[in-house]
């Protein structure tokens, strides 16, 4: 794993740790972010994963959920940075 990959993996793990306590079956948008972050994590670490299910949308969802309507703009920025790294 290259340094860039290591740094990106740390960012993905940071985002997963932040949203983990909030995961519920009644918050499908957060489940979508979690699923996309897990896909990103698998790509970096070489773990098996599902094929990508279309374009990444976690940045848009995070902006809406954590910045526009929520109180966690830093988390939205982090997730957007991760998404940009995969585009």
């Amino acid at each position: 794993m290259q340094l860039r990959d290591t740094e990106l993996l740390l960012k993905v793990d940071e985002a997963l740790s932040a949203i983990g306590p909030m995961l519920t079956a009644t918050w499908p948008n957060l489940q979508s972010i979690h699923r996309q972050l897990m896909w990103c994590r698998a790509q970096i670490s070489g773990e098996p994963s599902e094929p990508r299910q279309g374009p990444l949308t976690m940045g848009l969802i995070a902006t809406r959920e954590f910045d526009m309507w929520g109180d966690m703009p830093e988390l939205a920025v982090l997730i957007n940075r991760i998404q940009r790294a995969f585009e």
Side-chain angles (χ1 to χ4, degrees):
M1 195 178 319
Q2 298 175 349
L3 180 60
R4 183 181 181 282
D5 290 344
T6 302
E7 292 170 1
L8 188 54
L9 186 59
L10 289 172
K11 288 179 191 244
V12 170
D13 286 343
E14 179 183 348
L16 284 168
S17 293
I19 67 168
M22 296 182 275
L23 275 176
T24 66
T26 59
W27 201 351
N29 288 338
L30 197 61
Q31 291 174 351
S32 178
I33 293 172
H34 183 265
R35 186 172 43 255
Q36 292 176 60
L37 285 170
M38 291 300 293
W39 180 87
C40 291
R41 190 177 199 298
Q43 300 311 299
I44 299 166
S45 62
E47 298 170 4
S49 69
E50 299 177 359
R52 191 162 143 181
Q53 302 293 313
L56 293 174
T57 58
M58 63 185 168
L60 175 63
I61 297 168
T63 297
R64 186 176 60 232
E65 297 293 331
F66 301 130
D67 193 3
M68 289 173 50
W69 309 120
D71 59 352
M72 295 178 273
E74 302 85 13
L75 181 55
V77 168
L78 175 63
I79 292 170
N80 273 283
R81 284 184 180 148
I82 294 166
Q83 180 174 322
R84 280 193 301 274
F86 279 89
E87 292 177 336

